[in-house]
Amino acid sequence: MPARNILVINCGSSSIKFALANEERSDFLLHGLAERLGSPEAVLHWQRGEQSDSQDLAGGAHEAALARLLPLVEQTLEGPLHAIGHRVVHGGERFTQACRIDAEVRQAIRATAPLAPLHNPANLLGIEAAMALYPQLPHIAVFDTAFHQSLPPRAYRYAVPDALYREQHVRRYGFHGTSHRYVSHQAAEMSGLAVGDSNWLSAHLGNGSSTCAIANGQSRDTSMGLTPLEGLVMGTRSGDVDPNLHSHLARTLGWSLEKIDHMLNNDSGLLGLSGLSNDMRTLEQAREQGHAGAALAIEVFCYRLAKSLAAMTCALPRLDGIIFTGGIGENSPLVRNLTVQHLHVLDLQLDGAANARCVRGVGGPIHAAGHPRVLVIPTNEERQIALDTLAVLD
Ligand code: ADP
């Protein structure tokens, strides 16, 4: 059988990220981003080998972007396209692994929308537009939550009345599953250990951030919950706060739920603490120049991350290593260093030179000799989605 080609689509409310993968190649044949969809500035950017280019989509929405993508994919491929893998953020309790999309699966993704009101409808837009354009191809859904369906009840239940779980599906789901799974497999391979007999803590640190405890290939706990707001300090999200903050702000300031929601999701995190930016690069530069807010934001970010990692050890029988990934995890020696400094109890210590070397796509071990393993591993969610899509085809 010739090596198969898979198109991976990650559809947001106003953007589509895409990558064209071939099962025998480690790089992508084509990848890119359509952004500002539905606005006059809508544009499609792509990269093919060394060549990058863009095309104006002027007002085009998801269908228009995918219709432009089709000829690009066809020009790039020598053989046929075999399937399309779609990232879907929330699979609820129904989806424990990737699956082929039919009318019933689409309905189930739609029914899960109350749990992910921003993401699932956008994911469905992409699925429906792509199925209309490529009706003869298998379309596969790969869920961000699926990897965490192996959490035991003690990790996924909230201590609220049972009926809220049974009737309203209120529980912890976790996200970033594709990334945590990918980097934990890479970590095992890099360390000469079997996936099924190794135990990892993974920190995916991007605009959204989460930690995960992975025991013998299975997610056993993770820091995000019912929604991606729970857990760590993020770019603009607060992470954990006292749940009574809602009633406190309503009582003292008369804020509506919508206003509180917006504040916690869009005005908080690194941005809220620093008063400057949600972007770690900007904050690191400002900290260097003595900006107190930037220094505080980084300090709180790293302390809360260390606390979460320490808590996650409860889910593991032993620790084979800690993994840093995501834009911040892969590129910030400062964040890695400050975080590890809070984890002396776990005997962690970094090798300064190795830590400094691991940036811009360079991964590897960064721990000092004789101390527990700490790894930097560039994530590749598109590749994992392509691998999952191939596994469903098989
Ligand atoms: P997303 O969650 O949107 O995929 P990314 O994984 O790309 O986000 O991560 C974005 C974050 O990575 C931003 O906070 C950005 O500042 C940070 N980042 C990227 N490069 C660096 C760097 N060299 N140093 C520090 N932070 C960086």
Side-chain angles (χ1 to χ4, degrees), residues 92-289:
E93 287 190 319
R94 156 81 195 274
F95 296 104
T96 57
Q97 55 186 1
C99 69
R100 187 155 176 169
I101 303 172
D102 57 16
E104 198 247 319
V105 168
R106 285 199 329 250
Q107 179 48 33
I109 296 171
R110 198 168 294 117
T112 313
L115 293 172
L118 295 180
H119 294 102
N120 274 29
N123 300 154
L124 265 175
L125 267 178
I127 289 172
E128 279 163 3
M131 288 183 93
L133 284 167
Y134 303 87
Q136 74 291 0
L137 284 185
H139 290 257
I140 310 298
V142 179
F143 300 90
D144 250 22
T145 49
F147 182 51
H148 303 301
Q149 280 297 305
S150 47
L151 260 60
R154 63 175 176 269
Y156 74 68
R157 288 296 297 271
Y158 291 114
V160 297
D162 188 53
L164 286 176
Y165 169 60
R166 279 187 288 102
E167 292 160 20
Q168 303 300 323
H169 317 289
V170 171
R171 53 160 282 178
R172 309 184 61 254
Y173 291 94
F175 301 86
H176 291 144
T178 305
S179 176
H180 289 301
R181 189 153 54 99
Y182 178 80
V183 296
S184 59
H185 282 229
Q186 296 288 311
E189 195 173 307
M190 187 183 281
S191 310
L193 299 170
V195 171
D197 185 22
S198 58
N199 297 279
W200 306 98
L201 294 179
S202 148
H204 176 107
L205 312 173
N207 282 311
S209 295
S210 67
T211 55
C212 183
I214 303 133
N216 304 324
Q218 290 199 322
S219 172
R220 304 299 287 169
D221 203 353
T222 188
S223 61
M224 283 178 168
L226 176 72
T227 75
L229 183 59
E230 188 176 335
L232 305 179
V233 174
M234 311 186 208
T236 62
R237 288 177 234 158
S238 61
D240 293 342
V241 292
D242 184 333
N244 270 334
L245 179 61
H246 291 74
S247 52
H248 175 75
L249 294 176
R251 256 195 328 269
T252 54
L253 299 174
W255 284 17
S256 65
L257 270 184
E258 289 70 29
K259 185 167 169 136
I260 297 168
D261 231 34
H262 191 271
M263 177 273 290
L264 292 172
N265 281 285
N266 302 90
D267 305 329
S268 297
L270 294 173
L271 173 65
L273 276 165
S274 67
L276 180 68
S277 173
N278 64 316
D279 191 291
M280 188 56 90
R281 259 169 310 197
T282 307
L283 294 180
E284 288 193 14
Q285 283 159 11
R287 176 182 180 270
E288 281 287 303
Q289 289 155 10

